[in-house]
Amino acid sequence: MPRPPEEDLYYEFFKAKHTTQYLENYTTSHSYNGQTLRDRIKFGIEVKSIKKLDGAWALSTENVDTGTPCTFQATKLVVASGLTSEPFIPALPDKEKFNGPIIHQEKFGSSSVLKSPDVKNICVLGGGKSSADMIYEAVLAGKKVTWILKASDTTGPGFLVSPKGKGPYKNAFEMGSTRAAATFTPSPMVEETWWTRFLHSSKIGTSLTRSFWAAIDKDLRKEADYEHRENVGGFQELSPHTPIFWQNGTGGLLNHSDFFSLIAQNVKTYCADISTLDRNLVRVQSGEEIPCDAILCGTGWVPSLQFFSREQKVELGLPHAWSDETPAEQEAWAELEATADETVLSRFPLLADPPPHFHKPVTHTPYRLYNLIAPLFDVETDRSIVFIGHIIVGNYFLGVEAQSMWATAYLDRKLDLPDAKERRKEVALTTAWCRRRYLTNGEKGIFITFDLVGYTDQLLKQLGLKTHRKKWFKNWFEPCRQSNFRQLKNEYVGKYEKPSVVPVATGAGKA
């Protein structure tokens, strides 16, 4: 990918349009068997249902423009619908009375809301990065902006992190994506060594780990200066409710050096639940009425799994209502997760003592995919479906590239996996650890924000690939970048052209 112009760079982060252009170019410039990637993509198609028929997957689809139905069949299926395809729109009382547009973050970029002369007052809902980005743009567009955070049933506002780096590291992501930094997160995905055992199993090491994360938390809060920065009202409400280590809420890197000062000087913030909407106002529970011509929802997403039936979600290990499981299945998973929880707390005692926090009620099971990719099928008879990108992580480029290679080897039967019992134990361990490590977010079973390095290393180790690793000092202290994966494709092809099978050991995180 060509380096973007300097005016589009901010601590080496660049505008999304450059990624979009890169992907556009990639799909037209890469051709296989006489067809480019773009030729192979069916645009404007919505999947309605997926069924397994006679050993093949049958996808019932519909053209979104014409409504024309179409069926596709495949012996192997990669579900890469991700976690940000289906917008979550909150229930807003009396929204039918509201005269203005209600726009989710998905449509914000393509909307004309900031250019409309009829829109002078904007309310933004949600406490995360998407809300922050929309607010910043709205203020620059000359709108009067109000930021509304939920007061109940919430984990609170997210961490909005400065992208600045320190020392040799150009930005915050580089600082956090070294293998040395990865050892400070208590994770079974990180290779277990004498150093990680010291950090997470000894009193001195645990104290050192606490201090490491406390220093990060302190720096982030100091830069934002939530409590003392001069503001037009409510700026202190943006202070996250729990330390950054636990990631109980949302978060993201900021793209503008003046973000906090601009918000403090121009945006009034409320921590309040909405009671009703009216023609051109939002009324909160206190009774205060906020003038509003448009509502922007930075309220997140729901997993794009609507094309699977309830029965399929249970069978595939996808999130489903607890009531969809049999009592026997519920009991079996409860026993496995209880045993796994003991293992987690024995290895990572720090996770036994979370701070006071809001924990959202759990209504659905977590994802139960082996390595966060493959269902718990009988792999001797069925390796026909995988899930790519159904993870919550800091850098999807690295994560899904490693997932894609592992999934390819899995689908092609190049990996000799543990038996079903061991794989269920591994999934239970991931579930129990994720729940302890990331609290409310961990209930999803796929939240690995601080575990990207360990996760990708684990997958590539199972594949027997090594070219992404460096010599000792660089291996530990240089950031893990996309460029480190440059030789992996050739290494993979060279290795798997041979009719060999790579065994995947249980307890993959152990040295």
Side-chain angles (χ1 to χ4, degrees), residues 103-174:
I103 302 171
H104 187 268
Q105 63 203 66
E106 178 194 33
K107 302 293 186 183
F108 174 71
S110 60
S111 75
S112 59
V113 64
L114 298 187
K115 297 178 181 178
S116 172
D118 297 326
V119 175
K120 296 179 174 61
N121 300 290
I122 292 178
C123 289
V124 181
L125 314 183
K129 173 70 161 56
S130 296
S131 296
D133 287 343
M134 292 190 291
I135 287 170
Y136 188 90
E137 296 300 325
V139 172
L140 291 187
K143 307 300 182 181
K144 184 176 181 181
V145 183
T146 302
W147 196 342
I148 302 178
L149 308 172
K150 289 179 65 178
S152 62
D153 188 34
T154 178
T155 56
F159 266 96
L160 300 173
V161 180
S162 167
K164 298 176 184 177
K166 292 183 179 180
Y169 303 108
K170 296 176 181 177
N171 53 53
F173 182 79
E174 286 196 351

Side-chain angles (χ1 to χ4, degrees), residues 133-328:
D133 287 343
M134 292 190 291
I135 287 170
Y136 188 90
E137 296 300 325
V139 172
L140 291 187
K143 307 300 182 181
K144 184 176 181 181
V145 183
T146 302
W147 196 342
I148 302 178
L149 308 172
K150 289 179 65 178
S152 62
D153 188 34
T154 178
T155 56
F159 266 96
L160 300 173
V161 180
S162 167
K164 298 176 184 177
K166 292 183 179 180
Y169 303 108
K170 296 176 181 177
N171 53 53
F173 182 79
E174 286 196 351
M175 291 170 58
S177 61
T178 66
R179 290 188 175 85
T183 63
F184 280 87
T185 186
S187 170
M189 297 177 182
V190 174
E191 186 175 23
E192 186 177 7
T193 65
W194 69 268
W195 172 244
T196 60
R197 285 191 290 271
F198 165 73
L199 282 179
H200 303 300
S201 298
S202 70
K203 288 185 178 180
I204 296 176
T206 300
S207 178
L208 182 62
T209 301
R210 287 182 189 273
S211 298
F212 173 85
W213 285 98
I216 295 173
D217 191 272
K218 182 178 179 181
D219 282 350
L220 296 178
R221 294 177 188 271
K222 181 179 179 181
E223 176 146 1
D225 194 15
Y226 295 112
E227 301 300 327
H228 304 105
R229 188 185 293 268
E230 186 175 344
N231 65 91
V232 297
F235 185 75
Q236 71 280 359
E237 301 291 356
L238 297 176
S239 180
H241 295 177
T242 51
I244 192 171
F245 169 82
W246 297 96
Q247 274 291 289
N248 192 45
T250 182
L253 289 174
L254 293 173
N255 303 113
H256 307 282
S257 59
D258 62 343
F259 174 82
F260 288 121
S261 59
L262 183 137
I263 299 306
Q265 294 166 16
N266 295 279
V267 178
K268 189 169 184 180
T269 302
Y270 289 83
C271 180
D273 293 324
I274 295 174
S275 59
T276 58
L277 303 185
D278 215 324
R279 295 180 61 187
N280 292 104
L281 64 82
V282 171
R283 187 176 293 109
V284 295
Q285 291 286 1
S286 65
E288 188 167 354
E289 296 181 345
I290 304 169
C292 183
D293 303 311
I295 296 174
L296 305 181
C297 299
T299 48
W301 314 82
V302 294
S304 181
L305 299 168
Q306 70 278 6
F307 32 73
F308 289 111
S309 67
R310 292 192 306 173
E311 294 76 15
Q312 286 175 315
K313 289 177 181 178
V314 174
E315 181 184 18
L316 293 167
L318 305 176
H320 54 270
W322 294 102
S323 57
D324 290 338
E325 289 186 340
T326 66

